[in-house]
Amino acid sequence: MNEKPQYQIDTLAVRAGQERSQFGEHSEALYLTSSFVFDSAAQAAARFSGEEEGNVYSRFTNPTVTMFQERLAALEGAEACIATASGMAAILSTLLSLLKSGDHIVAARGIFGASQQMFSNIMPRFGVTTSFVTGSAPVSFRAALQPNTKLVFVETPSNPLTEVFDIAALADIAHEVGALLVVDNCFCTPALQRPLDLGADLIIHSATKYLDGQGRVLGGAVCGGKVLVEEVFKFMRTAGPTLSPFNAWVILKGLETLKIRMQAQSAGALDLARRLEANPSVARVFYPGLPSHPQHTLAMRQQATGGAIVAFEVKGGRAEAWRVIDACRMLSITANLGDVKTTLTHPASTTHGRISPEARAESGITESLLRVAVGLEAVDDIEADLLRGL
Ligand SMILES: *Cc1c(COP(=O)(O)O)cnc(C)c1O
């Protein structure tokens, strides 16, 4: 009778983590406060020493941020979650809390541009090196392992080419040498894919994307087992890339509609991908939900849908790709994704513009490639906008 009910993900998305104050508010409260007061000197001391649980200062914990962390942890099936100021802060906090000089990372070549830069430009200054693996074949990852490999890092599906990585196979490979598998779950979110269930050790989120879903705030999170997340928390609490309570509140409310948004946006993406594939002006479409995608079978096993990101190559080069962008009247020309408003990006000159041309070529990001992050508009209208310049 006293056992806690086990709720399904739809229920957790709107209920998990809510802590009501003395006022009994129905909606989650926004606690805009930098610090907290104590009843006595003794209580202050007990809070600081950790003898008594409770909030001290919002760089450490804040009730609104805690509600967001608990809700996201529930959705990911994680023991713990720590929120960060952005997705990149989540990656940086993970690297700096778990690695030391002399350690080695194996990362997929096809990852977010700033993540690539973090691994190749920033971490080497602290003695942490990275081997990049081209393609998604698990054997290539095994071949890149070194005795000092501590972390294997992938994004699946990847940005912008929607390459799909076999999470269960990569977890086994990482664990063979005692390394951790870290999965950036930005593109799928827990509404479509739960990496921890497949053997991953940690999940990275850019909450800026689908978790908020309406392009309002920056945020990030790291989810996983208690022990690892506690290490990340200790770093973050001291170093300071904490999520603001306001942003946490916005994203917390965003989680309530995450699943229906992901389902609707995925359905729109599949429809658009089919239409683009049938269009003679389109050279190639990259979408995991299409049977033509090289890892379609794996994607359908690992994810609930193909996701909401469609990439495609126009016939021609940069001029032809830019013409499609410049002819649009509705789609938002922006580097962001994960919004209910459809966004259109030319990765080679924006998100992936700062990585070396060689690395870009190795990742398969050509000048003719465009990325559409499908929102909630009618697919007819999205297609019509793209057709103006195609
Ligand atoms: C945007 C993004 C990030 C970085 O997140 P920010 O919130 O912008 O710092 C990391 N990974 C992926 C896959 C992203 O799309």
Side-chain angles (χ1 to χ4, degrees):
M1 277 306 267
N2 289 329
E3 243 175 62
K4 257 184 143 184
Q6 293 290 312
Y7 294 119
Q8 294 181 28
I9 191 164
D10 310 68
T11 310
L12 295 171
V14 295
R15 294 283 180 183
Q18 182 167 14
E19 221 25 92
R20 288 205 171 93
S21 78
Q22 57 177 312
F23 300 113
E25 66 281 354
H26 185 218
S27 182
E28 294 78 353
L30 167 53
Y31 294 96
L32 276 183
T33 181
S34 52
S35 69
F36 299 84
V37 293
F38 312 108
D39 294 337
S40 64
Q43 188 185 44
R47 288 272 179 92
F48 265 85
S49 71
E51 226 170 280
E52 181 185 303
E53 273 199 34
N55 299 294
V56 170
Y57 187 54
S58 286
R59 169 150 47 76
F60 314 162
T61 60
N62 171 284
T64 307
V65 177
T66 303
M67 285 192 266
F68 163 63
Q69 291 173 169
E70 290 188 2
R71 185 165 296 175
L72 183 58
L75 295 181
E76 285 287 11
E79 275 177 5
C81 168
I82 182 77
T84 56
S86 66
M88 292 319 299
I91 297 175
L92 181 69
S93 301
T94 301
L95 300 181
L96 293 188
S97 58
L98 301 178
L99 302 180
K100 60 179 189 324
S101 179
D103 287 346
H104 175 249
I105 300 169
V106 172
R109 184 47 91 186
I111 54 173
F112 188 63
S115 308
Q116 273 200 33
Q117 285 182 64
M118 175 102 75
F119 291 136
S120 47
N121 302 342
I122 296 179
M123 294 311 289
R125 289 201 269 127
F126 303 95
V128 176
T129 54
T130 299
S131 301
F132 288 102
V133 173
T134 303
S136 61
V139 286
S140 312
F141 279 82
R142 180 178 281 123
L145 293 175
Q146 297 178 10
N148 58 340
T149 304
K150 293 288 154 59
L151 212 130
V152 175
F153 187 99
V154 297
E155 223 175 276
T156 182
S158 70
N159 182 13
L161 288 170
T162 72
E163 250 180 302
V164 178
F165 294 78
D166 189 332
I167 296 173
L170 292 178
D172 286 345
I173 287 170
H175 297 159
E176 277 170 26
V177 294
L180 301 171
L181 176 65
V182 181
V183 176
D184 185 329
N185 201 22
C186 176
F187 271 37
C188 272
T189 81
L192 306 182
Q193 167 175 279
R194 299 217 312 178
L196 299 176
D197 293 349
L198 299 166
D201 300 286
L202 285 173
I203 294 169
I204 298 288
H205 271 293
S206 168
T208 314
K209 313 294 167 55
Y210 293 105
L211 302 191
D212 168 22
Q214 295 178 63
R216 296 165 292 194
V217 296
L218 293 183
V222 183
C223 302
K226 255 196 194 114
V227 176
L228 287 175
V229 172
E230 180 66 20
E231 284 307 306
V232 181
F233 171 62
K234 279 193 260 172
F235 169 83
M236 207 220 35
R237 184 179 65 181
T238 305
T242 313
L243 183 63
S244 88
F246 179 78
N247 290 10
W249 178 78
V250 170
I251 304 162
L252 173 68
K253 301 304 283 177
L255 290 181
E256 295 179 349
T257 55
L258 177 65
K259 191 170 166 187
I260 53 169
R261 280 189 282 109
M262 291 312 288
Q263 283 172 340
Q265 290 178 229
S266 299
L270 177 60
D271 189 356
L272 181 71
R274 286 187 179 134
R275 296 184 194 201
L276 289 173
E277 201 166 46
N279 188 309
S281 303
V282 171
R284 190 170 168 196
V285 179
F286 304 83
Y287 182 67
L290 289 177
S292 59
H293 190 281
Q295 294 117 14
H296 175 65
T297 313
L298 168 63
M300 293 300 98
R301 188 169 75 227
Q302 193 166 270
Q303 310 170 195
T305 72
I309 310 275
V310 180
F312 67 98
E313 280 172 354
V314 297
K315 288 185 176 154
R318 175 178 289 208
E320 288 72 18
W322 279 21
R323 194 171 64 217
V324 175
I325 293 181
D326 292 338
C328 281
R329 287 191 219 150
M330 175 186 71
L331 301 194
S332 311
I333 307 167
T334 168
N336 199 19
L337 60 93
D339 200 286
V340 295
K341 294 181 175 68
T342 299
T343 62
L344 179 61
T345 309
H346 182 249
S349 57
T350 59
T351 52
H352 292 68
R354 252 178 256 138
I355 60 174
S356 71
E358 299 76 39
R360 203 158 51 233
E362 214 186 301
S363 320
I365 298 163
T366 62
E367 291 290 339
S368 60
L369 185 77
L370 290 168
R371 185 193 72 196
V372 189
V374 178
L376 288 177
E377 304 96 334
V379 179
D380 285 344
D381 293 332
I382 299 171
E383 186 194 25
D385 220 30
L386 290 170
L387 289 184
R388 281 183 236 286
L390 261 178

Coordinates of all heavy atoms in Angstrom, one line a residue, residues 207-217 253-266 268-269 308-309 330-332 334 336-344 372-379 381-382:
A207 N 19.6 21.8 -23.3 CA 18.2 22.0 -23.0 C 17.6 23.2 -23.8 O 16.4 23.4 -23.9 CB 18.0 22.2 -21.5
T208 N 18.6 23.9 -24.4 CA 18.3 25.0 -25.3 C 17.4 24.6 -26.5 O 16.7 25.4 -27.1 CB 19.6 25.6 -25.9 OG1 20.6 25.7 -24.8 CG2 19.5 26.9 -26.6
K209 N 17.5 23.3 -26.8 CA 16.9 22.8 -28.0 C 15.5 22.3 -27.7 O 14.7 23.1 -27.2 CB 17.8 21.8 -28.7 CG 19.2 22.2 -28.8 CD 19.5 23.4 -29.8 CE 20.9 24.0 -29.6 NZ 22.0 23.0 -29.8
Y210 N 15.2 21.0 -27.9 CA 13.9 20.5 -27.8 C 13.3 20.6 -26.3 O 12.1 20.6 -26.2 CB 13.8 19.1 -28.3 CG 14.0 19.0 -29.7 CD1 15.2 18.5 -30.2 CD2 13.0 19.4 -30.6 CE1 15.4 18.4 -31.6 CE2 13.2 19.3 -32.0 CZ 14.4 18.8 -32.5 OH 14.6 18.7 -33.8
L211 N 14.2 20.5 -25.3 CA 13.6 20.5 -23.9 C 12.8 21.8 -23.7 O 11.7 21.7 -23.2 CB 14.7 20.2 -22.9 CG 15.5 19.0 -23.1 CD1 16.4 18.7 -21.8 CD2 14.7 17.7 -23.3
D212 N 13.4 22.9 -24.0 CA 12.6 24.2 -24.0 C 11.6 24.1 -25.1 O 10.4 24.2 -24.9 CB 13.6 25.4 -24.1 CG 12.8 26.7 -24.4 OD1 11.6 26.7 -24.0 OD2 13.4 27.6 -24.9
G213 N 12.1 23.9 -26.3 CA 11.2 23.7 -27.5 C 10.7 25.0 -28.1 O 10.1 24.9 -29.2
Q214 N 10.9 26.1 -27.5 CA 10.3 27.3 -28.0 C 11.3 28.4 -28.1 O 11.0 29.6 -28.2 CB 9.1 27.8 -27.3 CG 7.9 26.7 -27.4 CD 6.7 27.1 -26.6 OE1 6.1 28.1 -26.9 NE2 6.4 26.2 -25.7
G215 N 12.6 28.0 -28.2 CA 13.7 29.0 -28.5 C 13.8 30.1 -27.5 O 14.2 31.2 -27.9
R216 N 13.6 29.9 -26.2 CA 13.6 31.1 -25.3 C 14.8 31.2 -24.5 O 15.3 32.3 -24.3 CB 12.4 31.0 -24.4 CG 11.0 31.0 -25.1 CD 9.9 30.6 -24.2 NE 10.0 29.1 -23.9 CZ 9.0 28.4 -23.4 NH1 7.9 29.0 -23.1 NH2 9.1 27.1 -23.2
V217 N 15.4 30.1 -24.0 CA 16.5 30.2 -23.1 C 17.6 29.2 -23.4 O 17.4 28.2 -24.1 CB 16.0 30.0 -21.6 CG1 15.0 31.1 -21.2 CG2 15.4 28.6 -21.5
K253 N 8.8 23.7 -17.6 CA 7.4 23.8 -18.2 C 7.5 23.2 -19.7 O 6.5 22.7 -20.1 CB 6.9 25.2 -18.2 CG 6.7 25.8 -16.8 CD 5.9 25.0 -15.8 CE 4.4 25.1 -16.0 NZ 3.7 24.2 -15.1
G254 N 8.6 23.4 -20.3 CA 8.8 22.9 -21.7 C 8.7 21.4 -21.7 O 8.2 20.8 -22.6
L255 N 9.2 20.7 -20.6 CA 9.2 19.3 -20.6 C 7.8 18.7 -20.6 O 7.6 17.6 -21.0 CB 9.9 18.8 -19.3 CG 11.4 19.0 -19.2 CD1 12.0 18.4 -17.9 CD2 12.1 18.3 -20.4
E256 N 6.8 19.5 -20.1 CA 5.4 19.0 -20.1 C 4.9 18.7 -21.4 O 4.0 17.8 -21.6 CB 4.6 20.1 -19.3 CG 5.0 20.2 -17.9 CD 4.2 21.2 -17.1 OE1 3.4 22.0 -17.7 OE2 4.4 21.3 -15.8
T257 N 5.3 19.4 -22.4 CA 4.8 19.2 -23.8 C 5.8 18.5 -24.7 O 5.6 18.4 -25.9 CB 4.4 20.5 -24.4 OG1 5.5 21.4 -24.4 CG2 3.2 21.1 -23.7
L258 N 6.9 18.0 -24.1 CA 8.0 17.5 -24.9 C 7.6 16.3 -25.8 O 7.8 16.3 -27.0 CB 9.2 17.0 -24.0 CG 10.4 16.3 -24.7 CD1 11.1 17.3 -25.6 CD2 11.3 15.7 -23.6
K259 N 6.9 15.4 -25.2 CA 6.5 14.2 -26.0 C 5.6 14.5 -27.2 O 5.8 14.1 -28.3 CB 5.9 13.1 -25.1 CG 5.8 11.8 -25.9 CD 5.5 10.6 -24.9 CE 5.1 9.4 -25.7 NZ 4.6 8.4 -24.8
I260 N 4.6 15.3 -26.9 CA 3.6 15.6 -28.0 C 4.3 16.4 -29.1 O 4.1 16.3 -30.3 CB 2.3 16.2 -27.6 CG1 2.5 17.4 -26.7 CG2 1.4 15.2 -26.9 CD1 1.2 18.2 -26.5
R261 N 5.2 17.3 -28.7 CA 6.0 18.1 -29.7 C 6.9 17.2 -30.5 O 6.9 17.3 -31.7 CB 6.8 19.2 -29.0 CG 6.1 20.4 -28.5 CD 7.0 21.5 -28.1 NE 7.5 21.3 -26.7 CZ 8.8 21.0 -26.4 NH1 9.7 20.8 -27.3 NH2 9.2 20.9 -25.1
M262 N 7.6 16.3 -29.8 CA 8.5 15.4 -30.5 C 7.8 14.5 -31.5 O 8.3 14.3 -32.6 CB 9.4 14.6 -29.6 CG 10.4 15.4 -28.7 SD 11.4 16.5 -29.7 CE 12.5 15.4 -30.5
Q263 N 6.6 14.1 -31.1 CA 5.8 13.2 -32.0 C 5.3 14.0 -33.2 O 5.5 13.5 -34.3 CB 4.7 12.5 -31.2 CG 5.2 11.4 -30.3 CD 4.1 10.8 -29.4 OE1 3.1 11.5 -29.1 NE2 4.3 9.6 -28.9
A264 N 4.8 15.1 -32.9 CA 4.2 15.9 -34.1 C 5.3 16.4 -35.0 O 5.2 16.4 -36.2 CB 3.4 17.1 -33.5
Q265 N 6.5 16.9 -34.4 CA 7.6 17.4 -35.2 C 8.2 16.3 -36.0 O 8.7 16.5 -37.1 CB 8.5 18.2 -34.4 CG 7.9 19.5 -33.9 CD 8.8 20.4 -33.0 OE1 8.3 20.8 -32.0 NE2 10.0 20.6 -33.4
S266 N 8.3 15.1 -35.4 CA 8.9 13.9 -36.1 C 8.0 13.5 -37.3 O 8.5 13.2 -38.4 CB 9.0 12.7 -35.2 OG 9.8 12.9 -34.1
G268 N 6.0 15.4 -39.0 CA 6.2 16.4 -40.0 C 7.5 16.2 -40.7 O 7.6 16.4 -42.0
A269 N 8.6 15.8 -40.0 CA 9.9 15.6 -40.6 C 9.9 14.4 -41.6 O 10.4 14.5 -42.7 CB 10.9 15.4 -39.5
A308 N 13.3 14.9 -35.7 CA 12.6 16.1 -36.4 C 13.6 16.8 -37.2 O 13.3 17.9 -37.7 CB 12.0 17.0 -35.3
I309 N 14.8 16.3 -37.4 CA 15.9 17.0 -38.2 C 16.0 16.3 -39.6 O 16.2 15.0 -39.6 CB 17.2 17.0 -37.5 CG1 17.1 17.4 -36.1 CG2 18.2 17.8 -38.3 CD1 17.2 18.9 -35.9
M330 N 9.2 32.3 -44.9 CA 8.7 31.9 -43.5 C 9.8 31.3 -42.7 O 10.0 31.6 -41.5 CB 7.5 31.0 -43.7 CG 7.0 30.5 -42.3 SD 5.7 29.3 -42.4 CE 6.6 27.8 -43.0
L331 N 10.5 30.2 -43.2 CA 11.4 29.5 -42.3 C 12.4 30.4 -41.7 O 12.9 31.4 -42.4 CB 12.1 28.4 -43.2 CG 11.3 27.4 -43.9 CD1 12.1 26.2 -44.3 CD2 10.2 26.8 -42.9
S332 N 12.8 30.1 -40.5 CA 13.8 31.0 -39.8 C 15.2 30.6 -40.2 O 15.6 29.5 -40.1 CB 13.7 30.8 -38.3 OG 12.3 31.0 -37.9
T334 N 18.5 30.4 -39.2 CA 19.2 30.5 -37.9 C 19.9 29.2 -37.7 O 19.6 28.2 -38.2 CB 18.2 30.8 -36.7 OG1 18.8 30.6 -35.5 CG2 17.0 29.9 -36.8
N336 N 20.0 27.8 -34.8 CA 19.4 27.0 -33.8 C 18.5 25.9 -34.3 O 18.2 25.8 -35.5 CB 18.6 28.0 -32.9 CG 18.3 27.3 -31.5 OD1 19.0 26.4 -31.1 ND2 17.3 27.9 -30.9
L337 N 18.1 25.0 -33.4 CA 17.2 23.9 -33.8 C 16.4 23.5 -32.6 O 16.7 24.0 -31.5 CB 18.1 22.7 -34.3 CG 19.1 22.1 -33.4 CD1 18.4 20.9 -32.6 CD2 20.3 21.6 -34.2
G338 N 15.4 22.7 -32.8 CA 14.7 22.2 -31.7 C 13.6 23.1 -31.3 O 13.1 23.1 -30.1
D339 N 13.1 23.9 -32.2 CA 12.1 24.9 -31.9 C 10.8 24.5 -32.6 O 10.8 23.8 -33.6 CB 12.6 26.3 -32.5 CG 11.9 27.5 -31.9 OD1 10.7 27.7 -32.2 OD2 12.5 28.2 -31.1
V340 N 9.6 25.0 -32.1 CA 8.4 24.8 -32.8 C 8.3 25.5 -34.1 O 7.4 25.3 -35.0 CB 7.1 25.1 -31.9 CG1 7.1 24.1 -30.7 CG2 7.1 26.5 -31.5
K341 N 9.1 26.5 -34.3 CA 9.3 27.2 -35.6 C 10.4 26.6 -36.4 O 11.5 26.4 -35.9 CB 9.6 28.7 -35.4 CG 8.5 29.5 -34.7 CD 9.0 31.0 -34.5 CE 8.0 31.9 -34.0 NZ 7.6 31.6 -32.6
T342 N 10.1 26.2 -37.6 CA 11.1 25.5 -38.4 C 12.3 26.4 -38.7 O 12.1 27.5 -39.1 CB 10.4 25.0 -39.7 OG1 9.4 24.1 -39.4 CG2 11.4 24.3 -40.6
T343 N 13.5 25.8 -38.6 CA 14.7 26.5 -38.8 C 15.5 25.9 -40.0 O 15.4 24.7 -40.2 CB 15.6 26.6 -37.6 OG1 16.0 25.3 -37.2 CG2 14.9 27.2 -36.4
L344 N 16.2 26.8 -40.7 CA 16.9 26.3 -41.8 C 18.4 26.8 -41.7 O 18.6 28.0 -41.4 CB 16.3 26.9 -43.1 CG 16.9 26.6 -44.4 CD1 16.9 25.1 -44.7 CD2 16.2 27.3 -45.6
V372 N 17.2 21.2 -42.1 CA 15.9 21.7 -41.7 C 15.5 21.1 -40.3 O 15.5 19.8 -40.2 CB 14.8 21.3 -42.7 CG1 13.5 22.1 -42.4 CG2 15.3 21.6 -44.1
A373 N 15.3 21.9 -39.3 CA 14.8 21.4 -38.1 C 13.3 21.7 -38.1 O 12.9 22.8 -37.9 CB 15.5 22.1 -36.9
V374 N 12.5 20.6 -38.3 CA 11.1 20.8 -38.6 C 10.3 21.1 -37.3 O 10.5 20.5 -36.3 CB 10.5 19.5 -39.2 CG1 9.0 19.6 -39.5 CG2 11.3 19.2 -40.5
G375 N 9.5 22.2 -37.4 CA 8.7 22.6 -36.3 C 7.3 22.1 -36.4 O 7.0 21.0 -36.9
L376 N 6.4 23.0 -36.0 CA 5.0 22.6 -35.9 C 4.1 23.2 -37.0 O 2.9 23.0 -37.1 CB 4.4 22.9 -34.6 CG 4.8 22.1 -33.4 CD1 4.2 22.6 -32.1 CD2 4.4 20.6 -33.5
E377 N 4.7 23.9 -38.0 CA 3.9 24.5 -39.1 C 3.4 23.3 -40.0 O 3.9 22.2 -39.9 CB 4.7 25.4 -39.9 CG 5.4 26.6 -39.2 CD 6.8 26.3 -38.8 OE1 7.2 25.1 -38.7 OE2 7.6 27.2 -38.7
A378 N 2.4 23.6 -40.8 CA 1.9 22.6 -41.8 C 3.0 22.3 -42.7 O 3.8 23.1 -43.2 CB 0.7 23.2 -42.5
V379 N 3.2 21.0 -43.0 CA 4.3 20.5 -43.9 C 4.1 21.1 -45.3 O 5.1 21.5 -45.9 CB 4.3 19.0 -44.0 CG1 5.4 18.5 -44.9 CG2 4.5 18.4 -42.6
D381 N 3.2 24.1 -46.0 CA 3.8 25.4 -46.0 C 5.3 25.4 -45.9 O 6.0 26.2 -46.5 CB 3.2 26.2 -44.8 CG 1.7 26.5 -44.9 OD1 1.3 26.6 -46.1 OD2 1.0 26.6 -43.9
I382 N 5.8 24.4 -45.1 CA 7.3 24.3 -45.0 C 7.9 23.9 -46.4 O 8.8 24.5 -46.9 CB 7.7 23.2 -44.0 CG1 7.1 23.6 -42.6 CG2 9.2 23.0 -44.0 CD1 7.3 22.5 -41.6

